[in-house]
Amino acid sequence: MRISTTSCLCPFLVCLCFLQRSSGASHHVPAKGASKNQTKLANGETEVHHRPKRGWIWNQFFVLEEHMGPEAQYVGKLHSNSDKGDGSVRYILSGEGAGTIFIIDEVTGDIHATKSLDRERKTHYVLHAQALDRNTEDALEPKSEFIIKVQDINDNPPKFPNGPFAATVPEMSDLGTSVLQVTATDADDPTYGNSARIVYSILQGQPYFSVDPKTGIIRTALPDMDREAREHYMVVIQAKDMAGQVGGLSGSTTVNITLTDVNDNPPKFPQKNYQLYVPESAQVGKPVGKIKANDEDIGVNADIKYSIINSEGANTFSISTDRDTREGVISLRKPLNYERKKSYTLQIEGTNTHTDPRFSYLGSFKDTATLKITVGDVDEAPVFSMDYYIMDVYENAPSGTEVGAVTARDPDGRNSPVRYFMTTKDEDKRLFRIDASTGVVQTTQPLDREDMPWHNITVMASEVDNHDLFSHVPVTVQVLDVNDNPPEIAADEELIVCESSRAGQIIQTISAVDKDDFANGQRFSFALPTQLPVNPNFTLKDNEDSTASIFTRHRHFNHLTQELYELPIVVWDGGEPSLTGTSTLTLKVCPCQRYGRIRTCQSEAFLTSAGLSTGALIAILLCIVILLAIVVLFITLRRSKKEPLIISEEDVRENVVTYDDEGGGEEDTEAFDIIALRNPAAAEELKFRRDVRPDMRQHYGLPRSCRSPSLEVDEGDVYEYIKQRLDEADMDTSVPPYDSLQTYAFEGQGSPTGTISPLDSPAVQSEQDYKYLDDCGPEFQKLAEIYAESESDVKT
C-alpha cells in the first residue's frame, strides 16, 4: 500500500512532493513487523534489526493555512497494497484533529481538512493511520504515525513590541554615530520562504538620521548637529517583510531623539560696558550690584565663574556667583569715601567652569566686560581723630583741671563745624565736663584714686547744623596717685604674750599697709614714739625690710595682775613727701604651755565676756575647792567604816549560812545579802585590799601618756595575783563547795575618771620630773608650774 500525493495543488507543491518522493527512503516507516524489527533495551534505547519488505509507506503531509475555499481542502491519500479496489479495505484515521479538522474516506483513503488552519496557533498535527479488513476487522497493516504540517503564508505584518522609542545623542556628534537599535518581530515562519524576512527603512527623519536595513541601527546622517539650533527630532522607522518585495506586509514605529548639550558655547556679556551707582554709605560685605553673562549651553556647561581681574577694583570690591541665577553679585570689601575717591573701574571676567577640550578649537570659553562704579556723596557723621582716647589726671586736683581733649571733623566736602557733648547714661558724667566747641575734658570735683582709679566716659560729636548724624568715641581717664594716705600697722590677729615669756623674747613681727600705690608705699620704717616715756615692758626693733619685731623687757607676766597692754608704734612710708601714722597695738597676757608652744586664752576670754572681775573669779574657785574637799572627806570616812570587812583575814565564806536542803531559795540565805553575789562590782563592801598595792597611775587619774615613770607599776603582777588566788580557791578540796565572794580594789586599765590624790605616793616630791605634764593638757599645766617652782625654790 502506498500513499498517493498526486493531488498537489500547485506546481510548487508538486515539486516539493516530487522531492519528498525521491527521498522517501529516508522517511519510510515499516508497516508490517515493526515491532519485530525493533527491540527496546533496558536503558530505554532501541535496537534496530533488519526490516522485512515494507507493506505500505507514508509521507509527511502539508496543508495550506488560512484556506478560505468553499470546499474542504484536500490533504492527501492513504493506500495499502492489500487494497484491490473492491472496497474490502477500510481506512481509519485517529489522533489530533481526527474526525473534526481532518476526515478520511474509509474506502478511498482520501484525507481532507474541513477548517481553516492558523500556523501561528498550531504548526503541525500528529495522526495515526490504520487499514482493516472490512469483513473480518483484522488489521491489514499495523497502525502507523504520520504528521500533517500547516504550510505558512504571509499573513502577519512585522511589529515593534517596545515602541515608541526615545533616545539621546550628544550634539556635535560625528557622522554615523549610533543612536539606537530597533527590532521588529514577525509571527510568520522564518524558516519557510520570505514571510518573516524583514527589511528596515526610514520614513521620517531625513536627512538627519539613517537606519541600517538589516540590523535596524539608527545613526546620525549629518555631522555637528547643534542642540542650540534644534534639540528634538521625531524619526519614523518602517519594517517590511518579504525582504521588502512588493506585496510584503509592513509595520512602523516612532523614535523621539533628543540632542544632549555639550559645552560648545562660551559665555557672552550682552554688552561690553556697564555703569553702577553706589553711595559712600554702603555697608561693607553687602551686595551693591549684579552683572550677568549669557551662555547658550545648559546644566553644568553653563556654569560661570566671575572674577575682577584689575587690582583697582579687586582691592575695594569682590564678586561671587549666584548658583540659581548664574549672576555675578558685586559686594563691597572696604568702606567708600566720596571725598577721597569718586569712581572705580572694574574689569570683570566670566569663565566656564566645565570646559570640553574637544571644542578648544572654537576659542577661549570666557568673556570680559567693564563696570564703572560711581560713588555717591552722602552726608556723614563727624569722624574722631582716634578710635579711643586715654587721659590722666592727678588725684585731689581742684575742680576745673584739664584732663585732655578730643578732636572730630566733618568728612564731607563742606567741612561743617562740630559740637561735642557727653552721653547722659555715663555714671562718671557728674565728675567730668566737656567744652562743646573745643572738646576739652575737665574735672568737676577732686578725684580720689583710692576710691576709683579709672573712669570711663563716652564723648559724642555731631554737626552743628545736623544733630541727627553723630558719632561717639570711648574716653578712659586714669587717676594718678598722690601720697595722701599714711601707713598703718597690719594687725590681722590678736597679739598674745605668754606669762612664761623670757626677757628679750620676740612677741610678734609686724608689717604695715598703705592705700597708696607701690610708688609711694613699698618702703616702711617703724619706731616707738619719742615723746612718750620708755616702755618698761616691751621694745621695738626695725628690721629694715618693711617689718619690725616686738620684744619683751622682763619675764613673768601675770594675767591676773594685768591682762592687757597697749603699745603705740609710729610707722612712716618712703613717699614724697613722707607720711607717718601711729597705731596702738593691744597685747594680751595669757597662760601658755611650756616654752609657749600653744597660745590660747579661750577660758579666760569666756569668763571675761561674762563680766566677772578677778576677785569674783578667785571666790568662785575657792568655793569649788571647798566642795571638792568635803566630797573627798565624805568618801574617805565611808570607806574607813567598812574597812574591817575588807582587811579581815577570815574567810568570807564564814558569813554564809548553810542548810542541809538543796533547794531552799532566797529564804534560806537571810544571814547573807545575795545581791553581792549577783553583782559583786556594785557591792558596798568593795574596798581596797591591804595585801595588793594599788596602781598609782590610776590613783592619780592621769592619762597613760603623761604618767610619771616612777609611778609605773607592773599591772601584770596584779593580774597574776588574782589568777593565783582564783586557782587556789578552785583546787582546795578541804573546804565545802560553798559559794565564795572575794573582792579586790583593783580597777583595771584606762579608768575614765581617776583621782589626783597624792596619798600613798611611792616617791617623794624631789624625785619627780614634772616636765611630762606639759603633754597632758591645760588642766595639768598649772600643777606642773607649781611643782617646778617649788622644786626650784628648794634647790635654791
Side-chain angles (χ1 to χ4, degrees), residues 555-582:
R555 56 173 295 184
H556 294 304
F557 291 89
N558 193 335
H559 74 284
L560 299 179
T561 304
Q562 184 175 352
E563 184 179 9
L564 300 177
Y565 292 89
E566 292 185 350
L567 179 63
I569 299 177
V570 179
V571 56
W572 61 90
D573 57 24
E576 291 294 337
S578 178
L579 297 181
T580 62
T582 302

mmCIF file of all heavy atoms in Angstrom, residues 555-582:
data_model
loop_
_atom_site.group_PDB
_atom_site.id
_atom_site.type_symbol
_atom_site.label_atom_id
_atom_site.label_comp_id
_atom_site.label_asym_id
_atom_site.label_seq_id
_atom_site.Cartn_x
_atom_site.Cartn_y
_atom_site.Cartn_z
ATOM 1 N N ARG A 555 60.440 89.295 132.494
ATOM 2 C CA ARG A 555 59.808 87.989 132.474
ATOM 3 C C ARG A 555 58.670 87.946 133.470
ATOM 4 O O ARG A 555 58.458 88.880 134.237
ATOM 5 C CB ARG A 555 60.821 86.897 132.799
ATOM 6 C CG ARG A 555 61.540 87.090 134.142
ATOM 7 C CD ARG A 555 62.407 85.910 134.495
ATOM 8 N NE ARG A 555 61.596 84.716 134.703
ATOM 9 C CZ ARG A 555 62.097 83.554 135.089
ATOM 10 N NH1 ARG A 555 63.402 83.424 135.244
ATOM 11 N NH2 ARG A 555 61.324 82.513 135.267
ATOM 12 N N HIS A 556 57.954 86.813 133.432
ATOM 13 C CA HIS A 556 56.872 86.545 134.374
ATOM 14 C C HIS A 556 55.786 87.600 134.301
ATOM 15 O O HIS A 556 55.572 88.378 135.216
ATOM 16 C CB HIS A 556 57.406 86.428 135.815
ATOM 17 C CG HIS A 556 58.289 85.239 136.025
ATOM 18 N ND1 HIS A 556 57.884 83.941 135.741
ATOM 19 C CD2 HIS A 556 59.565 85.140 136.498
ATOM 20 C CE1 HIS A 556 58.873 83.097 136.021
ATOM 21 N NE2 HIS A 556 59.913 83.808 136.472
ATOM 22 N N PHE A 557 55.062 87.608 133.130
ATOM 23 C CA PHE A 557 53.825 88.384 133.065
ATOM 24 C C PHE A 557 52.724 87.569 133.749
ATOM 25 O O PHE A 557 52.715 86.327 133.694
ATOM 26 C CB PHE A 557 53.444 88.669 131.604
ATOM 27 C CG PHE A 557 54.368 89.631 130.924
ATOM 28 C CD1 PHE A 557 55.509 89.180 130.268
ATOM 29 C CD2 PHE A 557 54.110 91.000 130.945
ATOM 30 C CE1 PHE A 557 56.364 90.058 129.639
ATOM 31 C CE2 PHE A 557 54.968 91.872 130.299
ATOM 32 C CZ PHE A 557 56.098 91.399 129.647
ATOM 33 N N ASN A 558 51.785 88.245 134.338
ATOM 34 C CA ASN A 558 50.678 87.569 135.030
ATOM 35 C C ASN A 558 49.368 88.218 134.594
ATOM 36 O O ASN A 558 49.166 89.421 134.776
ATOM 37 C CB ASN A 558 50.845 87.688 136.555
ATOM 38 C CG ASN A 558 49.898 86.744 137.294
ATOM 39 O OD1 ASN A 558 48.860 86.355 136.773
ATOM 40 N ND2 ASN A 558 50.278 86.377 138.514
ATOM 41 N N HIS A 559 48.488 87.393 133.995
ATOM 42 C CA HIS A 559 47.250 87.966 133.506
ATOM 43 C C HIS A 559 46.313 88.339 134.636
ATOM 44 O O HIS A 559 45.374 89.126 134.441
ATOM 45 C CB HIS A 559 46.568 86.962 132.556
ATOM 46 C CG HIS A 559 45.933 85.811 133.257
ATOM 47 N ND1 HIS A 559 46.673 84.757 133.773
ATOM 48 C CD2 HIS A 559 44.623 85.552 133.517
ATOM 49 C CE1 HIS A 559 45.838 83.895 134.318
ATOM 50 N NE2 HIS A 559 44.593 84.351 134.181
ATOM 51 N N LEU A 560 46.538 87.744 135.827
ATOM 52 C CA LEU A 560 45.696 88.134 136.964
ATOM 53 C C LEU A 560 46.069 89.521 137.469
ATOM 54 O O LEU A 560 45.219 90.260 137.984
ATOM 55 C CB LEU A 560 45.836 87.104 138.087
ATOM 56 C CG LEU A 560 45.408 85.663 137.725
ATOM 57 C CD1 LEU A 560 45.625 84.728 138.909
ATOM 58 C CD2 LEU A 560 43.952 85.654 137.293
ATOM 59 N N THR A 561 47.327 89.870 137.316
ATOM 60 C CA THR A 561 47.761 91.206 137.752
ATOM 61 C C THR A 561 47.415 92.251 136.693
ATOM 62 O O THR A 561 46.801 93.284 136.992
ATOM 63 C CB THR A 561 49.272 91.208 138.008
ATOM 64 O OG1 THR A 561 49.579 90.193 138.969
ATOM 65 C CG2 THR A 561 49.731 92.567 138.529
ATOM 66 N N GLN A 562 47.782 91.988 135.419
ATOM 67 C CA GLN A 562 47.440 92.877 134.301
ATOM 68 C C GLN A 562 47.326 92.016 133.049
ATOM 69 O O GLN A 562 48.251 91.325 132.667
ATOM 70 C CB GLN A 562 48.512 93.954 134.105
ATOM 71 C CG GLN A 562 48.142 94.953 133.011
ATOM 72 C CD GLN A 562 49.120 96.102 132.888
ATOM 73 O OE1 GLN A 562 50.008 96.241 133.725
ATOM 74 N NE2 GLN A 562 48.955 96.934 131.874
ATOM 75 N N GLU A 563 46.165 92.072 132.443
ATOM 76 C CA GLU A 563 45.884 91.208 131.288
ATOM 77 C C GLU A 563 46.182 91.886 129.963
ATOM 78 O O GLU A 563 46.650 91.250 129.039
ATOM 79 C CB GLU A 563 44.427 90.764 131.323
ATOM 80 C CG GLU A 563 44.071 89.780 130.223
ATOM 81 C CD GLU A 563 42.622 89.350 130.294
ATOM 82 O OE1 GLU A 563 41.868 89.955 131.090
ATOM 83 O OE2 GLU A 563 42.255 88.421 129.556
ATOM 84 N N LEU A 564 45.963 93.182 129.820
ATOM 85 C CA LEU A 564 46.110 93.880 128.551
ATOM 86 C C LEU A 564 47.172 94.958 128.670
ATOM 87 O O LEU A 564 47.256 95.671 129.686
ATOM 88 C CB LEU A 564 44.780 94.502 128.117
ATOM 89 C CG LEU A 564 43.606 93.540 127.911
ATOM 90 C CD1 LEU A 564 42.341 94.320 127.567
ATOM 91 C CD2 LEU A 564 43.931 92.548 126.817
ATOM 92 N N TYR A 565 47.974 95.105 127.603
ATOM 93 C CA TYR A 565 48.990 96.145 127.489
ATOM 94 C C TYR A 565 48.794 96.846 126.159
ATOM 95 O O TYR A 565 48.478 96.207 125.144
ATOM 96 C CB TYR A 565 50.401 95.548 127.570
ATOM 97 C CG TYR A 565 50.775 94.975 128.915
ATOM 98 C CD1 TYR A 565 50.484 93.646 129.205
ATOM 99 C CD2 TYR A 565 51.406 95.752 129.881
ATOM 100 C CE1 TYR A 565 50.813 93.091 130.423
ATOM 101 C CE2 TYR A 565 51.745 95.205 131.111
ATOM 102 C CZ TYR A 565 51.439 93.886 131.383
ATOM 103 O OH TYR A 565 51.764 93.353 132.592
ATOM 104 N N GLU A 566 49.010 98.135 126.126
ATOM 105 C CA GLU A 566 48.935 98.924 124.899
ATOM 106 C C GLU A 566 50.323 99.399 124.509
ATOM 107 O O GLU A 566 51.076 99.888 125.351
ATOM 108 C CB GLU A 566 48.001 100.118 125.078
ATOM 109 C CG GLU A 566 46.544 99.726 125.240
ATOM 110 C CD GLU A 566 45.635 100.942 125.294
ATOM 111 O OE1 GLU A 566 46.182 102.057 125.399
ATOM 112 O OE2 GLU A 566 44.400 100.761 125.261
ATOM 113 N N LEU A 567 50.601 99.235 123.175
ATOM 114 C CA LEU A 567 51.933 99.605 122.681
ATOM 115 C C LEU A 567 51.750 100.482 121.452
ATOM 116 O O LEU A 567 51.414 100.004 120.380
ATOM 117 C CB LEU A 567 52.727 98.345 122.322
ATOM 118 C CG LEU A 567 54.139 98.584 121.765
ATOM 119 C CD1 LEU A 567 55.009 99.260 122.825
ATOM 120 C CD2 LEU A 567 54.768 97.275 121.324
ATOM 121 N N PRO A 568 51.943 101.814 121.556
ATOM 122 C CA PRO A 568 51.863 102.690 120.375
ATOM 123 C C PRO A 568 53.138 102.557 119.537
ATOM 124 O O PRO A 568 54.244 102.496 120.076
ATOM 125 C CB PRO A 568 51.723 104.080 120.983
ATOM 126 C CG PRO A 568 52.346 103.980 122.338
ATOM 127 C CD PRO A 568 52.132 102.572 122.826
ATOM 128 N N ILE A 569 52.938 102.487 118.187
ATOM 129 C CA ILE A 569 54.052 102.338 117.250
ATOM 130 C C ILE A 569 53.876 103.363 116.141
ATOM 131 O O ILE A 569 52.778 103.533 115.593
ATOM 132 C CB ILE A 569 54.115 100.925 116.665
ATOM 133 C CG1 ILE A 569 54.333 99.895 117.773
ATOM 134 C CG2 ILE A 569 55.203 100.811 115.615
ATOM 135 C CD1 ILE A 569 54.325 98.460 117.269
ATOM 136 N N VAL A 570 54.967 104.038 115.791
ATOM 137 C CA VAL A 570 54.976 105.027 114.713
ATOM 138 C C VAL A 570 55.563 104.358 113.467
ATOM 139 O O VAL A 570 56.625 103.742 113.544
ATOM 140 C CB VAL A 570 55.783 106.274 115.099
ATOM 141 C CG1 VAL A 570 55.800 107.269 113.944
ATOM 142 C CG2 VAL A 570 55.225 106.917 116.357
ATOM 143 N N VAL A 571 54.851 104.505 112.311
ATOM 144 C CA VAL A 571 55.326 103.957 111.046
ATOM 145 C C VAL A 571 55.232 105.052 109.995
ATOM 146 O O VAL A 571 54.277 105.838 109.983
ATOM 147 C CB VAL A 571 54.487 102.714 110.636
ATOM 148 C CG1 VAL A 571 53.023 103.045 110.553
ATOM 149 C CG2 VAL A 571 54.989 102.155 109.314
ATOM 150 N N TRP A 572 56.248 105.169 109.142
ATOM 151 C CA TRP A 572 56.230 106.161 108.063
ATOM 152 C C TRP A 572 56.680 105.496 106.770
ATOM 153 O O TRP A 572 57.405 104.516 106.762
ATOM 154 C CB TRP A 572 57.076 107.386 108.398
ATOM 155 C CG TRP A 572 58.544 107.106 108.632
ATOM 156 C CD1 TRP A 572 59.543 107.106 107.727
ATOM 157 C CD2 TRP A 572 59.144 106.791 109.887
ATOM 158 N NE1 TRP A 572 60.729 106.824 108.308
ATOM 159 C CE2 TRP A 572 60.530 106.622 109.657
ATOM 160 C CE3 TRP A 572 58.660 106.656 111.202
ATOM 161 C CZ2 TRP A 572 61.413 106.302 110.671
ATOM 162 C CZ3 TRP A 572 59.549 106.351 112.187
ATOM 163 C CH2 TRP A 572 60.913 106.176 111.937
ATOM 164 N N ASP A 573 56.121 106.006 105.657
ATOM 165 C CA ASP A 573 56.400 105.416 104.340
ATOM 166 C C ASP A 573 57.568 106.127 103.683
ATOM 167 O O ASP A 573 58.160 107.055 104.243
ATOM 168 C CB ASP A 573 55.151 105.464 103.445
ATOM 169 C CG ASP A 573 54.627 106.876 103.259
ATOM 170 O OD1 ASP A 573 55.429 107.830 103.419
ATOM 171 O OD2 ASP A 573 53.430 107.041 102.959
ATOM 172 N N GLY A 574 57.890 105.673 102.459
ATOM 173 C CA GLY A 574 59.020 106.256 101.738
ATOM 174 C C GLY A 574 58.582 107.183 100.630
ATOM 175 O O GLY A 574 59.311 107.345 99.653
ATOM 176 N N GLY A 575 57.353 107.737 100.722
ATOM 177 C CA GLY A 575 56.856 108.592 99.676
ATOM 178 C C GLY A 575 57.426 110.000 99.751
ATOM 179 O O GLY A 575 58.186 110.358 100.649
ATOM 180 N N GLU A 576 57.019 110.792 98.740
ATOM 181 C CA GLU A 576 57.446 112.188 98.673
ATOM 182 C C GLU A 576 56.204 113.063 98.622
ATOM 183 O O GLU A 576 55.499 113.066 97.608
ATOM 184 C CB GLU A 576 58.327 112.424 97.445
ATOM 185 C CG GLU A 576 59.680 111.758 97.493
ATOM 186 C CD GLU A 576 60.592 112.323 98.573
ATOM 187 O OE1 GLU A 576 60.350 113.492 98.981
ATOM 188 O OE2 GLU A 576 61.511 111.632 99.018
ATOM 189 N N PRO A 577 55.874 113.792 99.683
ATOM 190 C CA PRO A 577 56.577 113.781 100.988
ATOM 191 C C PRO A 577 56.185 112.560 101.802
ATOM 192 O O PRO A 577 55.148 111.959 101.579
ATOM 193 C CB PRO A 577 56.089 115.066 101.642
ATOM 194 C CG PRO A 577 54.712 115.242 101.083
ATOM 195 C CD PRO A 577 54.751 114.741 99.676
ATOM 196 N N SER A 578 57.030 112.210 102.770
ATOM 197 C CA SER A 578 56.786 111.032 103.581
ATOM 198 C C SER A 578 55.678 111.318 104.581
ATOM 199 O O SER A 578 55.616 112.401 105.185
ATOM 200 C CB SER A 578 58.070 110.631 104.312
ATOM 201 O OG SER A 578 57.833 109.515 105.128
ATOM 202 N N LEU A 579 54.804 110.336 104.777
ATOM 203 C CA LEU A 579 53.702 110.427 105.729
ATOM 204 C C LEU A 579 53.907 109.417 106.830
ATOM 205 O O LEU A 579 54.439 108.328 106.607
ATOM 206 C CB LEU A 579 52.359 110.180 105.029
ATOM 207 C CG LEU A 579 51.941 111.172 103.943
ATOM 208 C CD1 LEU A 579 50.585 110.788 103.369
ATOM 209 C CD2 LEU A 579 51.894 112.589 104.493
ATOM 210 N N THR A 580 53.515 109.817 108.049
ATOM 211 C CA THR A 580 53.639 108.932 109.204
ATOM 212 C C THR A 580 52.266 108.666 109.775
ATOM 213 O O THR A 580 51.321 109.451 109.599
ATOM 214 C CB THR A 580 54.535 109.548 110.284
ATOM 215 O OG1 THR A 580 53.932 110.783 110.741
ATOM 216 C CG2 THR A 580 55.921 109.829 109.747
ATOM 217 N N GLY A 581 52.194 107.541 110.480
ATOM 218 C CA GLY A 581 50.964 107.152 111.160
ATOM 219 C C GLY A 581 51.304 106.411 112.427
ATOM 220 O O GLY A 581 52.297 105.701 112.506
ATOM 221 N N THR A 582 50.499 106.617 113.445
ATOM 222 C CA THR A 582 50.699 105.955 114.737
ATOM 223 C C THR A 582 49.563 104.978 114.970
ATOM 224 O O THR A 582 48.384 105.341 114.874
ATOM 225 C CB THR A 582 50.748 106.974 115.884
ATOM 226 O OG1 THR A 582 51.808 107.911 115.627
ATOM 227 C CG2 THR A 582 50.991 106.271 117.212
#
